[in-house]
Amino acid sequence: MGRKAPPLCPGALCSCGLRGNTSVGLIALEMAKIHTIHANGSLPKPVLWQKMHSYFSLVKNEINLSLSADVPKVEVLERELAWLKEHLSQLNSPVVFCHNDLLCKNIIYDSAKGCVQFIDYEYTGYNYQAFDIGNHFNEFAGPRKQLRWGWCPPCHGQPPWPRTGVNGVDYSRYPARETQLQWLGYYLQAQKGSAVTPREVERLCVQVNKFALASHFFWALWALIQNKYSTINFDFLRYAVIRFNQYFKVKPQVSTLEMPK
């Protein structure tokens, strides 16, 4: 048997708080609610490609990629960006209103009401449904913002708590298939208001895992830019390398996933 998930603490979640049975349902329900927000008039285009091309342009023209031999060359990045756009655009993931940055510290648990709320809407915009969920699944690895937050006592004991920063990123914590299917089932049922079929859940699961690739690529480009311009004490360059490495590690397996018939 796996380790029992710790109880949810009031306030911002820590990365281990994302995996509990209670939080899985609450977060899926809240994301389904956010995704139902509609714009007046025609549905906007997804922000993903415009932002990614903008980030790539900055990296290509202003960032010295020779700072680390582990950062892919510009030609490789350009080729991968084109592949992502061609491959993911064919999946027909709905365009919805997305948070786009749903890491653990942007999720607040209200113990009195038994619900969660999302905060920090800096990156919100209309985007692919599967990107928002896949990006959230990637954040199970923690902790992009852990350097600015403490840990919760049930998980890590009493203070002082470690400030792990980039050292705490661990993709073995990416949700297992069983957790993914449970999360996606809650999400789809909340969205539809009725029971969902295994095929519907499996279809979304394939889309989400493919768009999780784009999440790695997006935040890797972002980290390269932050490495040059940010004044925050964080190893952005190493974080970019970690995200690129994970992208190339999972791409062969994820790219072969097929939509259910």
Side-chain angles (χ1 to χ4, degrees), residues 2-91:
R3 188 180 68 171
K4 183 179 179 181
L8 284 181
C9 300
L13 297 184
C14 72
S15 57
C16 42
L18 299 179
R19 302 190 294 275
N21 291 333
T22 300
S23 57
V24 163
L26 294 177
I27 296 168
L29 179 63
E30 185 66 15
M31 186 177 284
K33 189 187 304 182
I34 294 292
H35 285 179
T36 61
I37 297 175
H38 295 292
N40 294 325
S42 60
L43 191 66
K45 292 182 178 179
V47 300
L48 179 62
W49 306 123
Q50 179 269 324
K51 280 198 170 186
M52 255 213 304
H53 280 287
S54 176
Y55 285 176
F56 172 72
S57 180
L58 281 172
V59 168
K60 181 179 180 180
N61 296 317
E62 300 186 26
I63 308 298
N64 179 13
L65 297 186
S66 63
L67 287 172
S68 172
D70 296 320
V71 175
K73 296 184 181 301
V74 167
E75 296 78 12
V76 175
L77 297 180
E78 191 166 23
R79 183 173 66 246
E80 292 300 322
L81 179 54
W83 179 85
L84 279 169
K85 186 172 184 179
E86 179 182 5
H87 187 72
L88 300 183
S89 296
Q90 299 174 13
L91 298 179

Side-chain angles (χ1 to χ4, degrees), residues 16-256:
C16 42
L18 299 179
R19 302 190 294 275
N21 291 333
T22 300
S23 57
V24 163
L26 294 177
I27 296 168
L29 179 63
E30 185 66 15
M31 186 177 284
K33 189 187 304 182
I34 294 292
H35 285 179
T36 61
I37 297 175
H38 295 292
N40 294 325
S42 60
L43 191 66
K45 292 182 178 179
V47 300
L48 179 62
W49 306 123
Q50 179 269 324
K51 280 198 170 186
M52 255 213 304
H53 280 287
S54 176
Y55 285 176
F56 172 72
S57 180
L58 281 172
V59 168
K60 181 179 180 180
N61 296 317
E62 300 186 26
I63 308 298
N64 179 13
L65 297 186
S66 63
L67 287 172
S68 172
D70 296 320
V71 175
K73 296 184 181 301
V74 167
E75 296 78 12
V76 175
L77 297 180
E78 191 166 23
R79 183 173 66 246
E80 292 300 322
L81 179 54
W83 179 85
L84 279 169
K85 186 172 184 179
E86 179 182 5
H87 187 72
L88 300 183
S89 296
Q90 299 174 13
L91 298 179
N92 296 319
S93 179
V95 176
V96 297
F97 186 76
C98 293
H99 186 282
N100 291 319
D101 190 22
L102 201 58
L103 44 75
C104 57
K105 292 306 173 185
N106 286 339
I107 304 170
I108 305 297
Y109 175 58
D110 186 331
S111 58
K113 297 180 179 179
C115 66
V116 297
Q117 294 181 327
F118 301 161
I119 62 171
D120 193 353
Y121 285 83
E122 178 183 359
Y123 292 94
T124 52
Y126 283 86
N127 209 353
Y128 296 104
Q129 172 197 60
F131 176 87
D132 212 17
I133 302 173
N135 184 70
H136 173 62
F137 283 0
N138 280 339
E139 293 298 344
F140 278 54
R144 181 154 41 92
K145 283 189 178 178
Q146 196 71 58
L147 74 164
R148 294 194 287 137
W149 298 80
W151 298 84
C152 66
C155 304
H156 303 282
Q158 295 302 316
W161 298 305
R163 295 186 176 275
T164 59
V166 73
N167 294 323
V169 180
D170 179 5
Y171 285 103
S172 70
R173 295 196 293 250
Y174 188 83
R177 176 174 168 80
E178 180 183 358
T179 303
Q180 293 180 40
L181 296 178
Q182 181 188 36
W183 198 106
L184 297 171
Y186 286 140
Y187 171 89
L188 286 171
Q189 188 166 341
Q191 195 176 58
K192 289 182 61 177
S194 59
V196 295
T197 66
R199 181 181 179 278
E200 290 176 301
V201 177
E202 181 63 33
R203 175 183 173 83
L204 182 55
C205 189
V206 171
Q207 292 174 324
V208 163
N209 280 278
K210 287 179 178 287
F211 270 94
L213 283 174
S215 165
H216 286 306
F217 205 82
F218 179 92
W219 292 112
L221 293 175
W222 169 88
L224 289 176
I225 297 167
Q226 296 298 315
N227 184 63
K228 179 170 182 178
Y229 296 109
S230 177
T231 58
I232 296 174
N233 182 22
F234 185 74
D235 194 345
F236 287 106
L237 181 59
R238 188 174 168 213
Y239 184 73
V241 170
I242 289 172
R243 296 304 295 257
F244 278 132
N245 285 348
Q246 188 65 15
Y247 170 87
F248 285 107
K249 178 181 178 180
V250 300
K251 179 188 174 185
Q253 177 184 356
V254 170
S255 60
T256 59

